[in-house]
Amino acid sequence: MEQHICFDVRGKHLTEARHWSAPEVFGPRAHFSVAAPTAALVVRDVKRRDEGVYRCRVDFRNTQTTSFRYNLTVVVPPEKPVVVDRWGRVINTTTLGPHEEGDDVLLTCRVLGGRPEPQVRWLVNGVLVDEEYEHNTGDVIENRLLWPQISRGDYAAVFTCQAANSLLVPPKEVSLVLDMFLKPLTVEINKPTETGDNGVLTAERRYEVTCESAGSRPPAVITWYKGKRQLKRITEELRDNMTVSVMSFVPTLDDDGKAIICKAENPNVTLLYLETSWTISVVYPPVVWLRLGSSLAASDIKEGDDVYFECHVRANPPARKLSWLHDDRPLAHNATARVFHSNQSLVLQKVTRHSSGRYACSALNAEGETVSNELHFRVKYAPSCRAGGVSVVGAARGESVVIVCEVDADPPAAVFKWKFNNSGETIDVAADRYTSNGSASSLKYTPVADLDYGTLSCSASNEVGTQVAPCVFQMVAAGKPHAPRNCTLWNQTSDSVEVSCVPGFDGGLPQRFLLEVYSGKEKYPRFNLSSEEPTWTVRGLEWDVRFRLAAVAVNSKGRSPPARLADVLFRDPEKRTASEAPLGVGGLVGAMAAGLGAICALVAGACAASLRRRRRAPHGKPPPAPLVQRDVPKVPEHDDAEPDLIPNNYCEATNAPSVAVSSPGRTAPAPLTTPACNGPGASWTWSSRPRDLGVGAEAPRALSIGRSASATLRAAADLNVDAIKEKLLDHRIPESCV
């Protein structure tokens, strides 16, 4: 059927031409265009039915009609392709996947319709990869694409399915972007900056270790392990395409040689991970523990056995020194004492009871020194006498004494035996006469005749053996000791004075000595000093207080009567200084007289002592020479006629004692000269003393030590005796004092 479109310009201007289109064919879809450069029929929204041969006829006013024929072929484009996966599911999104590395991607592109028949093809990233297609049921055309073993390089690849049947229109297409789960590309542990040489760590110190991972999609999750144990103390952050994890931990000595593992894992796929490890070296002070040799029984060590100790040391760096301790004292290698160090063992040969105690070993390395646990080592031994030697026991006739026999034994003694020997016979003491309790046995003994004085001995036994040397007690007739004799105050200084006595009879028993210090009229001593010998040094007494001194001997039977000494008085230095004044003529003469009086007393005492020594032999070693000789009451129990105070006999200039003579209200004497007592050139020196030492009330005179007065008495060739006498007579001093 021929179609009609009319364009009539007869009698009109071209722009006013009449246009007509058959409504049943084109209607408003077609019109004739006379726009330059060429007139043409324009059909909009071409339909498949518009296909055919078109004839264009042009009628001219003065020229014959011209006709043109055109064949119009209408192309029907295909519908938009549809992509389905391997399971036949339509992919409605623009994303393909996500897939894992190594997967095979299978896609099918379906195209419906199209005239002429369209071409269906696959392009990857714009590159044609598959143009083989096939017909399916009806007008369906399919192209199946297999993309095997996708890799990281395929991530974000664009898979495009195109359907085209004409160059007149662009092809219909669908594009899909490949999404993938990617494993991490890198993982790295950054060691702490605080690590020591060679990257070592110090035990019990906190460190922070960083692990970085990149390349994972989505970003990796980092997990830390120490050996097989997962560590929890971590912090994590994302930086661009990198995951950074910080792990804080405190290494212990057990961590030495273990691996610190950082595992970066794709959070969506368990098997997509990458890990790295760092084998740590942990340095620490030695760990030391001590034990007895494994072949020994700790509860069955006896004297004479050989033993060894094993010191186990664990250290990094290795220990460079191993030491042994016995009761906290170093125990050195000593072959003579049968103590041997061998590697990490201590060998003791033929141990004794003295080998018992606490043993330890110590190890030293660059990180410090550690002492092991203490091992309490016990050596069993037979009983032995605790006191040793012969003990003297004094008892009067008819007096009962309890004699205690103490032994050292491990385990404690089980059986005791007593014997008595009086040089005439040896008698076993009946078991009912004594009692035993562990390490001691007590015997009550009463001598009634001379034959009851002799030797008592006891011996004990335990599971180890019997006591080799018994404990011996010598029974003697005994009583209280006699009082000390010839007690002297000497060697006084600014703050002390020494006391010396000669021991009296000890009563047949060991004795010791007490110096008792009384204040005023006190009945009980303020304090006492104990000594094995009758010599004491007294210091620190109060000023301006008169103290009484008494020496006493003590043994197991009791105390001796006291031997009383001169009183001691220390004066306050301030009061003493205030009372001193410059010497006048009268004072000078008085001081001279007092000095001569003291010299007379010293000379007389020396002469008397010399005569007394000529009458009898010396008794023991004399104590140091006293400063002042005084008579004290004799002890009733003694027949000794010696006075308690020995006269001062010093006359040489180099050893002259220092004394100060003073009395209330008077100043120290002026220097005087006098003949030497033991020849020409002898001298005496009076010098000041910080405290005063006075003689007690029971003594005929009192002597005190001044502080500031000082005078010197020396012999001179030009001594004017007559002038001295005249001075003395002027001041009415009796000649007997000269």
Side-chain angles (χ1 to χ4, degrees), residues 330-401:
L331 185 62
H333 181 97
N334 187 344
T336 304
R338 298 178 178 178
V339 177
F340 302 94
H341 295 180
S342 176
N343 295 329
Q344 293 185 189
S345 298
L346 171 68
V347 179
L348 304 178
Q349 293 182 343
K350 297 189 180 302
V351 295
T352 67
R353 68 192 65 188
H354 304 295
S355 303
S356 300
R358 297 173 289 108
Y359 284 82
C361 60
S362 68
L364 174 69
N365 69 357
E367 296 300 312
E369 183 175 12
T370 305
V371 179
S372 72
N373 57 299
E374 286 190 343
L375 185 64
H376 292 267
F377 180 59
R378 176 188 180 190
V379 178
K380 295 181 179 180
Y381 52 91
S384 63
C385 192
R386 181 174 298 177
V390 179
S391 300
V392 178
V393 180
R397 291 186 181 183
E399 179 185 2
S400 296
V401 293

Coordinates of all heavy atoms in Angstrom, one line a residue, residues 330-401:
P330 N 80.2 -17.2 103.5 CA 80.8 -17.9 102.3 C 81.5 -19.2 102.7 O 82.2 -19.3 103.7 CB 81.8 -16.8 101.8 CG 81.3 -15.5 102.3 CD 80.7 -15.8 103.7
L331 N 81.3 -20.2 101.9 CA 82.0 -21.5 102.1 C 82.9 -21.7 100.9 O 82.4 -22.1 99.8 CB 80.9 -22.6 102.2 CG 81.4 -24.0 102.5 CD1 82.1 -24.0 103.9 CD2 80.2 -25.0 102.5
A332 N 84.2 -21.5 101.1 CA 85.1 -21.6 100.0 C 85.6 -23.1 99.9 O 85.5 -23.9 100.7 CB 86.3 -20.7 100.3
H333 N 86.2 -23.3 98.7 CA 86.8 -24.6 98.4 C 88.0 -24.8 99.4 O 88.9 -23.9 99.4 CB 87.3 -24.7 97.0 CG 87.9 -26.0 96.6 ND1 87.2 -27.0 96.0 CD2 89.2 -26.4 96.7 CE1 88.0 -28.0 95.7 NE2 89.2 -27.7 96.2
N334 N 88.0 -25.9 100.1 CA 89.1 -26.1 101.1 C 89.3 -27.6 101.2 O 88.6 -28.3 101.9 CB 88.7 -25.5 102.5 CG 89.8 -25.5 103.5 OD1 90.8 -26.2 103.3 ND2 89.6 -24.7 104.5
A335 N 90.4 -28.0 100.6 CA 90.7 -29.4 100.6 C 91.0 -29.9 102.0 O 90.8 -31.0 102.4 CB 91.8 -29.8 99.6
T336 N 91.7 -29.0 102.7 CA 92.1 -29.4 104.1 C 90.9 -29.7 105.0 O 90.9 -30.6 105.7 CB 93.0 -28.3 104.7 OG1 94.1 -28.1 103.8 CG2 93.5 -28.7 106.1
A337 N 89.9 -28.8 104.8 CA 88.7 -29.0 105.6 C 87.7 -30.0 104.9 O 86.6 -30.1 105.3 CB 88.0 -27.7 105.8
R338 N 88.2 -30.6 103.8 CA 87.4 -31.6 103.0 C 86.1 -30.9 102.5 O 85.0 -31.5 102.6 CB 87.0 -32.8 103.9 CG 88.3 -33.5 104.3 CD 88.0 -34.7 105.2 NE 89.2 -35.4 105.6 CZ 89.3 -36.5 106.4 NH1 88.1 -36.9 106.9 NH2 90.4 -37.1 106.7
V339 N 86.2 -29.7 102.0 CA 85.1 -29.0 101.3 C 85.5 -28.8 99.9 O 86.5 -28.2 99.6 CB 84.8 -27.7 102.0 CG1 83.7 -26.9 101.2 CG2 84.4 -27.9 103.4
F340 N 84.7 -29.4 98.9 CA 85.1 -29.3 97.5 C 84.0 -28.8 96.7 O 82.8 -29.1 96.9 CB 85.4 -30.8 97.0 CG 86.5 -31.4 97.8 CD1 86.2 -32.3 98.9 CD2 87.9 -31.3 97.5 CE1 87.2 -32.9 99.6 CE2 88.9 -31.9 98.2 CZ 88.6 -32.7 99.2
H341 N 84.3 -27.9 95.8 CA 83.4 -27.3 94.8 C 83.7 -28.1 93.5 O 84.8 -28.1 93.0 CB 83.6 -25.8 94.5 CG 83.3 -25.0 95.8 ND1 83.4 -23.6 95.8 CD2 82.9 -25.3 97.0 CE1 83.1 -23.2 97.0 NE2 82.7 -24.2 97.7
S342 N 82.6 -28.6 92.9 CA 82.8 -29.4 91.7 C 81.6 -29.0 90.7 O 80.5 -29.4 91.0 CB 82.8 -30.9 91.9 OG 82.8 -31.6 90.7
N343 N 81.9 -28.2 89.7 CA 80.9 -27.7 88.8 C 79.8 -27.0 89.6 O 80.0 -26.0 90.2 CB 80.4 -28.8 87.9 CG 81.4 -29.4 87.0 OD1 82.3 -28.6 86.5 ND2 81.4 -30.7 86.6
Q344 N 78.6 -27.6 89.6 CA 77.5 -27.0 90.3 C 77.1 -27.9 91.5 O 76.0 -27.9 92.0 CB 76.3 -26.9 89.4 CG 76.5 -25.8 88.3 CD 75.2 -25.6 87.5 OE1 75.3 -24.9 86.5 NE2 74.1 -26.1 87.9
S345 N 78.1 -28.5 92.1 CA 77.9 -29.4 93.3 C 78.9 -29.0 94.4 O 80.0 -28.5 94.1 CB 78.1 -30.9 92.9 OG 77.2 -31.3 91.9
L346 N 78.4 -29.2 95.6 CA 79.3 -29.0 96.8 C 79.4 -30.4 97.5 O 78.4 -31.0 97.8 CB 78.6 -28.0 97.7 CG 79.3 -27.9 99.1 CD1 80.7 -27.2 99.0 CD2 78.4 -27.0 100.0
V347 N 80.7 -30.8 97.7 CA 80.9 -32.1 98.3 C 81.6 -31.8 99.7 O 82.5 -31.1 99.8 CB 81.9 -32.9 97.4 CG1 82.2 -34.2 98.1 CG2 81.3 -33.1 96.1
L348 N 81.0 -32.5 100.7 CA 81.5 -32.4 102.1 C 81.9 -33.8 102.5 O 81.0 -34.7 102.5 CB 80.5 -31.8 103.0 CG 79.9 -30.5 102.7 CD1 78.8 -30.1 103.8 CD2 81.0 -29.4 102.7
Q349 N 83.2 -34.0 102.8 CA 83.6 -35.3 103.2 C 83.7 -35.4 104.7 O 84.2 -34.5 105.3 CB 85.0 -35.7 102.5 CG 84.9 -35.8 101.0 CD 86.3 -36.2 100.5 OE1 87.3 -36.0 101.1 NE2 86.3 -36.7 99.3
K350 N 83.3 -36.5 105.2 CA 83.3 -36.8 106.7 C 82.8 -35.6 107.5 O 83.5 -34.9 108.2 CB 84.8 -37.1 107.1 CG 85.4 -38.4 106.5 CD 86.7 -38.8 107.0 CE 87.2 -40.0 106.4 NZ 86.3 -41.2 106.5
V351 N 81.5 -35.4 107.3 CA 80.8 -34.3 108.0 C 80.9 -34.5 109.5 O 80.9 -35.6 110.0 CB 79.4 -34.1 107.5 CG1 79.4 -33.8 106.0 CG2 78.6 -35.4 107.7
T352 N 80.8 -33.3 110.2 CA 80.7 -33.3 111.6 C 79.5 -32.6 112.0 O 78.8 -32.0 111.1 CB 82.0 -32.6 112.2 OG1 81.9 -31.2 111.9 CG2 83.3 -33.2 111.7
R353 N 79.3 -32.5 113.3 CA 78.1 -31.8 113.8 C 78.1 -30.3 113.4 O 77.1 -29.6 113.3 CB 78.0 -31.9 115.3 CG 79.1 -31.2 116.1 CD 79.1 -31.6 117.5 NE 79.4 -33.0 117.7 CZ 79.4 -33.7 118.9 NH1 79.0 -33.0 119.9 NH2 79.7 -34.9 118.9
H354 N 79.4 -29.8 113.2 CA 79.5 -28.4 112.9 C 79.1 -28.2 111.4 O 79.0 -27.0 111.0 CB 81.0 -27.9 113.1 CG 81.4 -28.1 114.5 ND1 80.8 -27.4 115.6 CD2 82.4 -28.9 115.1 CE1 81.4 -27.8 116.7 NE2 82.3 -28.7 116.4
S355 N 79.0 -29.2 110.7 CA 78.5 -29.1 109.3 C 77.0 -28.8 109.2 O 76.5 -28.5 108.1 CB 78.9 -30.4 108.5 OG 80.3 -30.6 108.5
S356 N 76.3 -29.1 110.3 CA 74.9 -28.8 110.3 C 74.6 -27.3 110.1 O 75.5 -26.5 110.3 CB 74.2 -29.3 111.6 OG 74.4 -30.7 111.8
G357 N 73.5 -27.0 109.6 CA 73.1 -25.6 109.5 C 72.3 -25.4 108.2 O 71.8 -26.3 107.5
R358 N 72.3 -24.1 107.8 CA 71.6 -23.7 106.6 C 72.6 -23.5 105.4 O 73.5 -22.8 105.5 CB 70.9 -22.4 106.9 CG 69.8 -22.5 107.9 CD 69.2 -21.1 108.3 NE 70.2 -20.3 109.1 CZ 70.8 -19.3 108.6 NH1 70.5 -18.9 107.3 NH2 71.6 -18.6 109.3
Y359 N 72.3 -24.2 104.4 CA 73.1 -24.1 103.2 C 72.3 -23.4 102.0 O 71.1 -23.6 101.9 CB 73.6 -25.5 102.7 CG 74.7 -26.1 103.6 CD1 74.4 -26.7 104.8 CD2 76.0 -26.0 103.2 CE1 75.4 -27.2 105.6 CE2 77.0 -26.5 104.0 CZ 76.7 -27.1 105.2 OH 77.7 -27.7 105.9
A360 N 73.1 -22.7 101.2 CA 72.5 -22.0 100.1 C 73.6 -21.8 99.0 O 74.8 -21.8 99.4 CB 71.8 -20.7 100.4
C361 N 73.2 -21.7 97.8 CA 74.1 -21.4 96.7 C 73.6 -20.1 96.0 O 72.4 -19.8 96.0 CB 74.3 -22.5 95.7 SG 72.7 -23.0 94.9
S362 N 74.5 -19.4 95.5 CA 74.2 -18.1 94.8 C 74.9 -18.1 93.4 O 76.0 -18.6 93.3 CB 74.6 -16.9 95.6 OG 76.0 -16.8 95.6
A363 N 74.2 -17.6 92.4 CA 74.7 -17.5 91.1 C 74.7 -16.0 90.6 O 73.7 -15.3 90.9 CB 73.9 -18.4 90.1
L364 N 75.6 -15.7 89.8 CA 75.8 -14.3 89.3 C 75.9 -14.3 87.8 O 76.7 -15.0 87.2 CB 77.0 -13.6 90.0 CG 77.4 -12.2 89.5 CD1 76.4 -11.2 90.0 CD2 78.8 -11.9 90.1
N365 N 75.1 -13.4 87.2 CA 75.3 -13.1 85.8 C 75.2 -11.6 85.6 O 75.1 -10.8 86.6 CB 74.4 -13.9 84.9 CG 72.9 -13.4 85.0 OD1 72.6 -12.5 85.8 ND2 72.1 -14.0 84.2
A366 N 75.2 -11.1 84.3 CA 75.1 -9.7 84.1 C 73.9 -9.0 84.6 O 73.8 -7.8 84.8 CB 75.3 -9.4 82.6
E367 N 72.8 -9.8 84.8 CA 71.5 -9.2 85.2 C 71.4 -9.1 86.7 O 70.5 -8.5 87.3 CB 70.4 -10.0 84.7 CG 70.3 -10.0 83.2 CD 70.1 -8.6 82.6 OE1 69.2 -7.9 83.2 OE2 70.8 -8.2 81.7
G368 N 72.3 -9.8 87.5 CA 72.2 -9.7 88.9 C 72.6 -11.0 89.6 O 73.1 -12.0 88.9
E369 N 72.5 -11.0 90.9 CA 72.9 -12.2 91.7 C 71.7 -12.7 92.4 O 70.9 -11.9 93.0 CB 74.0 -11.9 92.7 CG 74.5 -13.1 93.5 CD 75.7 -12.7 94.3 OE1 76.0 -11.5 94.5 OE2 76.3 -13.7 94.9
T370 N 71.5 -14.0 92.5 CA 70.3 -14.6 93.1 C 70.8 -15.7 94.1 O 71.7 -16.5 93.8 CB 69.4 -15.3 92.1 OG1 69.0 -14.3 91.1 CG2 68.1 -15.8 92.8
V371 N 70.2 -15.7 95.3 CA 70.6 -16.7 96.3 C 69.4 -17.7 96.3 O 68.3 -17.4 96.2 CB 70.7 -16.1 97.7 CG1 71.0 -17.1 98.7 CG2 71.8 -15.0 97.7
S372 N 69.8 -19.0 96.4 CA 68.8 -20.1 96.3 C 68.0 -20.2 97.6 O 68.2 -19.4 98.5 CB 69.6 -21.4 96.0 OG 70.3 -21.8 97.2
N373 N 67.1 -21.2 97.6 CA 66.4 -21.5 98.8 C 67.4 -22.1 99.8 O 68.5 -22.6 99.5 CB 65.4 -22.6 98.5 CG 66.0 -23.8 97.8 OD1 66.6 -23.7 96.8 ND2 65.9 -25.0 98.5
E374 N 67.1 -21.9 101.1 CA 67.9 -22.4 102.2 C 67.6 -23.9 102.4 O 66.4 -24.2 102.5 CB 67.8 -21.6 103.4 CG 68.4 -20.3 103.4 CD 68.4 -19.6 104.8 OE1 67.7 -20.0 105.6 OE2 69.2 -18.6 105.0
L375 N 68.6 -24.7 102.5 CA 68.5 -26.1 102.8 C 69.0 -26.4 104.2 O 70.1 -26.1 104.5 CB 69.2 -27.0 101.8 CG 69.1 -28.5 101.9 CD1 67.6 -28.8 101.6 CD2 70.0 -29.2 100.9
H376 N 68.1 -26.8 105.1 CA 68.5 -27.1 106.4 C 69.1 -28.5 106.5 O 68.4 -29.5 106.3 CB 67.3 -26.9 107.4 CG 66.8 -25.5 107.5 ND1 67.2 -24.7 108.5 CD2 65.9 -24.8 106.7 CE1 66.6 -23.5 108.3 NE2 65.8 -23.6 107.2
F377 N 70.3 -28.5 106.8 CA 71.1 -29.8 106.8 C 71.3 -30.2 108.2 O 71.8 -29.5 109.0 CB 72.4 -29.5 106.1 CG 73.3 -30.8 106.0 CD1 72.8 -31.9 105.3 CD2 74.6 -30.8 106.5 CE1 73.7 -33.0 105.3 CE2 75.4 -31.9 106.5 CZ 74.9 -33.0 105.8
R378 N 71.0 -31.5 108.5 CA 71.1 -32.0 109.8 C 72.1 -33.2 109.8 O 72.0 -34.1 109.0 CB 69.7 -32.5 110.3 CG 69.7 -33.2 111.7 CD 68.4 -33.8 111.9 NE 68.3 -34.5 113.2 CZ 67.3 -35.2 113.6 NH1 66.2 -35.4 112.8 NH2 67.3 -35.8 114.8
V379 N 73.0 -33.1 110.8 CA 74.0 -34.2 111.0 C 73.7 -34.8 112.3 O 73.8 -34.1 113.4 CB 75.4 -33.7 110.9 CG1 76.4 -34.8 111.1 CG2 75.7 -33.1 109.5
K380 N 73.4 -36.1 112.4 CA 73.2 -36.7 113.7 C 74.6 -37.1 114.3 O 75.5 -37.5 113.5 CB 72.4 -38.0 113.5 CG 70.9 -37.7 113.0 CD 70.1 -39.0 112.9 CE 68.7 -38.7 112.4 NZ 67.9 -40.0 112.3
Y381 N 74.7 -37.0 115.6 CA 75.9 -37.4 116.2 C 75.7 -37.9 117.6 O 74.6 -37.6 118.3 CB 76.9 -36.2 116.3 CG 76.2 -34.9 116.9 CD1 76.3 -34.6 118.2 CD2 75.6 -34.0 116.1 CE1 75.8 -33.5 118.8 CE2 75.0 -32.9 116.6 CZ 75.1 -32.6 117.9 OH 74.5 -31.5 118.5
A382 N 76.7 -38.6 118.1 CA 76.6 -39.2 119.5 C 76.7 -38.1 120.5 O 77.3 -37.0 120.2 CB 77.6 -40.2 119.7
P383 N 76.3 -38.3 121.7 CA 76.4 -37.2 122.8 C 77.8 -36.8 123.1 O 78.7 -37.6 123.0 CB 75.7 -37.8 124.0 CG 74.8 -38.9 123.4 CD 75.5 -39.4 122.2
S384 N 78.0 -35.6 123.4 CA 79.3 -35.0 123.9 C 79.0 -34.0 125.0 O 77.9 -33.4 125.0 CB 80.1 -34.4 122.8 OG 79.4 -33.3 122.2
C385 N 79.9 -33.8 125.9 CA 79.7 -32.9 127.0 C 79.6 -31.5 126.5 O 80.4 -31.0 125.7 CB 80.8 -33.0 128.0 SG 80.4 -32.2 129.6
R386 N 78.5 -30.8 126.9 CA 78.3 -29.4 126.4 C 79.3 -28.4 127.0 O 79.9 -27.6 126.3 CB 76.9 -28.9 126.7 CG 76.6 -27.5 126.3 CD 75.1 -27.2 126.5 NE 74.3 -28.1 125.7 CZ 72.9 -28.1 125.8 NH1 72.3 -27.3 126.6 NH2 72.2 -29.0 125.1
A387 N 79.7 -28.6 128.3 CA 80.6 -27.6 128.9 C 82.0 -27.9 128.5 O 82.8 -26.9 128.3 CB 80.4 -27.7 130.4
G388 N 82.4 -29.1 128.4 CA 83.8 -29.4 128.1 C 84.7 -29.2 129.3 O 84.4 -28.4 130.2
G389 N 85.8 -30.0 129.4 CA 86.7 -29.8 130.5 C 86.1 -30.4 131.8 O 85.2 -31.1 131.8
V390 N 86.8 -30.0 132.9 CA 86.3 -30.5 134.2 C 85.7 -29.3 134.9 O 86.2 -28.2 135.0 CB 87.5 -31.0 135.0 CG1 87.1 -31.4 136.4 CG2 88.2 -32.1 134.3
S391 N 84.4 -29.5 135.4 CA 83.7 -28.5 136.1 C 84.0 -28.7 137.6 O 83.9 -29.9 138.1 CB 82.2 -28.6 135.8 OG 82.0 -28.4 134.4
V392 N 84.3 -27.7 138.3 CA 84.5 -27.7 139.8 C 83.2 -27.4 140.5 O 82.6 -26.3 140.2 CB 85.7 -26.8 140.2 CG1 85.9 -26.8 141.7 CG2 86.9 -27.1 139.4
V393 N 82.8 -28.3 141.4 CA 81.6 -28.1 142.2 C 82.0 -28.0 143.6 O 82.6 -29.0 144.1 CB 80.6 -29.2 141.9 CG1 79.3 -28.9 142.7 CG2 80.2 -29.3 140.4
G394 N 81.7 -26.9 144.3 CA 82.1 -26.8 145.7 C 80.9 -27.0 146.6 O 79.8 -26.5 146.3
A395 N 81.1 -27.7 147.6 CA 80.0 -28.0 148.6 C 80.6 -28.3 149.9 O 81.6 -29.0 150.1 CB 79.1 -29.2 148.1
A396 N 80.0 -27.7 151.0 CA 80.4 -28.0 152.3 C 79.8 -29.3 152.8 O 78.9 -29.9 152.2 CB 79.9 -26.9 153.3
R397 N 80.4 -29.9 153.9 CA 79.9 -31.2 154.4 C 78.4 -31.0 154.8 O 78.1 -30.0 155.4 CB 80.7 -31.6 155.6 CG 82.1 -32.1 155.2 CD 82.8 -32.7 156.4 NE 84.1 -33.1 156.1 CZ 85.0 -33.7 156.9 NH1 84.6 -34.0 158.1 NH2 86.2 -34.0 156.5
G398 N 77.6 -32.0 154.3 CA 76.2 -31.9 154.7 C 75.4 -31.0 153.8 O 74.2 -30.9 153.9
E399 N 76.0 -30.3 152.8 CA 75.3 -29.5 151.9 C 74.9 -30.2 150.7 O 75.8 -30.9 150.1 CB 76.2 -28.3 151.5 CG 75.5 -27.3 150.6 CD 76.5 -26.2 150.1 OE1 77.6 -26.2 150.5 OE2 76.0 -25.4 149.3
S400 N 73.7 -30.1 150.3 CA 73.2 -30.8 149.1 C 73.3 -29.9 147.9 O 72.9 -28.7 147.9 CB 71.8 -31.3 149.3 OG 71.7 -32.2 150.3
V401 N 73.9 -30.4 146.8 CA 74.0 -29.6 145.6 C 73.4 -30.5 144.5 O 73.4 -31.7 144.5 CB 75.5 -29.3 145.3 CG1 76.0 -28.3 146.3 CG2 76.3 -30.5 145.2

